[in-house]
Amino acid sequence: MGVIDNEFKRLQDVVTSLEDRVKRLEQRQSGETISADGVRMILIGPPGAGKGTQAPKIKEKFSCCHLATGDMLRSQVAKKTTLGREAKKIMDAGGLVSDDIVIGMIKEELANNKECKGGFILDGFPRTVAQAESLDKMLAEKDQKLQHAVELQIDDGLLVSRITGRLVHPASGRSYHSIFNPPKKTMTDDLTGEPLIQRSDDNADALKKRLVTYHQQTAPVVGYYRNTGIWKGIDASQEPGQVWNSLLGVFGDEKKKGGILSKLTGN
């Protein structure tokens, strides 16, 4: 069986390589550039919509980086970078970190984070049209454009039951739910075995306040990306697997089952 397994693995590698070549040729013919230098997208959605569930899957599929605004700020402050020190001064004084600092942090990550060579997922930014314009300007300086602005849409009423049971792995941002998506072991991350936490603001009253702010901020940003033609809305009230299939459709992989490798493997 060992010889057969090795040969099958070799054939899988060959077919995967061929499929990659075919995909590049198809993209070249259609003018699509998604794989030339990775995926470039923003993930929009209210607290509890499932960004923490879907972003790691996108990251794994495209070998890209997941840049969540809060995580970036904490990382830069912890590293005591120039931007981190500036941000800390502002936050310690109770102020809001400026758009220029956040854009600078994103630029820093794209330049120095090896994971970002495969592209990026932005989560929590931009939150205003001015931020969206600044992001476009920064990418234009690198001769790049944002490819996707995906909004995970869900009724506010459904979010209360979702978010009050949410459990988070702080280091990775992976999220679970005590009822709908529980970890294999109670309050323990499936991959690392590290403890999960429940955020202090994950309660019904705090959520309602956050949703009011979210909708006020997000509506203009969604309008901005609708006008640029890269916005796509996805029904986030579906099961996580169905949401993932919808995301694959956005990336043009909805017909993956027709690939050569999937026919051989039955996946």
Side-chain angles (χ1 to χ4, degrees):
M1 286 297 293
V3 174
I4 295 174
D5 287 343
N6 289 339
E7 180 62 13
F8 185 68
K9 177 66 170 63
R10 188 187 70 80
L11 286 171
Q12 279 186 319
D13 292 342
V14 170
V15 172
T16 299
S17 176
L18 287 171
E19 285 195 327
D20 286 344
R21 289 176 65 185
V22 169
K23 190 174 182 180
R24 285 196 296 272
L25 288 170
E26 288 175 343
Q27 288 165 347
R28 189 181 302 171
Q29 188 176 28
S30 65
E32 186 184 357
T33 58
I34 187 168
S35 293
D37 50 354
V39 67
R40 297 183 297 278
M41 68 174 291
I42 64 168
L43 202 53
I44 306 168
K51 298 191 301 296
T53 299
Q54 302 300 333
K57 292 183 178 181
I58 301 170
K59 177 179 176 178
E60 181 180 2
K61 178 172 178 60
F62 290 101
S63 299
C64 63
C65 60
H66 174 207
L67 303 179
T69 311
D71 293 341
M72 274 194 302
L73 282 169
R74 285 187 287 272
S75 173
Q76 293 282 336
V77 169
K79 292 176 184 175
K80 297 183 179 179
T81 64
T82 302
L83 289 170
R85 288 195 294 270
E86 287 182 43
K88 190 175 187 302
K89 284 181 186 177
I90 295 169
M91 290 188 291
D92 286 348
L96 292 174
V97 177
S98 70
D99 293 352
D100 286 343
I101 289 178
V102 178
I103 286 287
M105 288 183 178
I106 294 171
K107 196 171 183 178
E108 177 86 10
E109 290 287 335
L110 296 183
N112 300 313
N113 186 337
K114 291 180 180 179
E115 289 185 337
C116 294
K117 288 183 179 179
F120 62 84
I121 312 156
L122 272 178
D123 175 357
F125 188 91
R127 293 188 177 183
T128 67
V129 171
Q131 290 175 351
E133 291 172 342
S134 295
L135 176 62
D136 283 349
K137 183 179 178 182
M138 185 269 286
L139 289 173
E141 291 171 357
K142 296 163 63 70
D143 293 322
Q144 293 180 338
K145 288 184 178 181
L146 206 59
Q147 297 162 331
H148 304 288
V150 177
E151 182 184 10
L152 299 181
Q153 301 171 308
I154 185 169
D155 185 81
D156 287 0
L158 292 175
L159 289 173
V160 176
S161 58
R162 270 196 181 188
I163 205 162
T164 51
R166 184 165 67 171
L167 307 171
V168 179
H169 179 237
S172 69
R174 275 187 294 279
S175 61
Y176 302 84
H177 193 280
S178 56
I179 298 171
F180 305 123
N181 182 34
K184 294 174 183 175
K185 183 179 178 183
T186 304
M187 293 301 292
T188 305
D189 180 50
D190 288 349
L191 298 185
T192 65
E194 295 171 348
L196 302 176
I197 64 167
Q198 185 165 24
R199 291 173 177 158
S200 58
D201 57 353
D202 279 356
N203 61 74
D205 290 337
L207 172 62
K208 289 173 184 175
K209 292 178 183 177
R210 289 164 70 193
L211 286 173
V212 169
T213 302
Y214 169 78
H215 290 305
Q216 288 174 343
Q217 289 182 333
T218 305
V221 176
V222 168
Y224 176 84
Y225 287 119
R226 278 180 185 268
N227 289 336
T228 64
I230 65 170
W231 174 88
K232 181 73 175 179
I234 287 178
D235 179 6
S237 66
Q238 307 173 93
E239 291 294 320
Q242 292 175 306
V243 175
W244 175 238
N245 287 335
S246 298
L247 277 167
L248 291 180
V250 171
F251 300 130
D253 287 345
E254 69 271 35
K255 295 181 180 178
K256 185 185 175 196
K257 61 184 179 181
I260 303 170
L261 179 59
S262 56
K263 287 179 180 177
L264 284 176
T265 62
N267 292 326

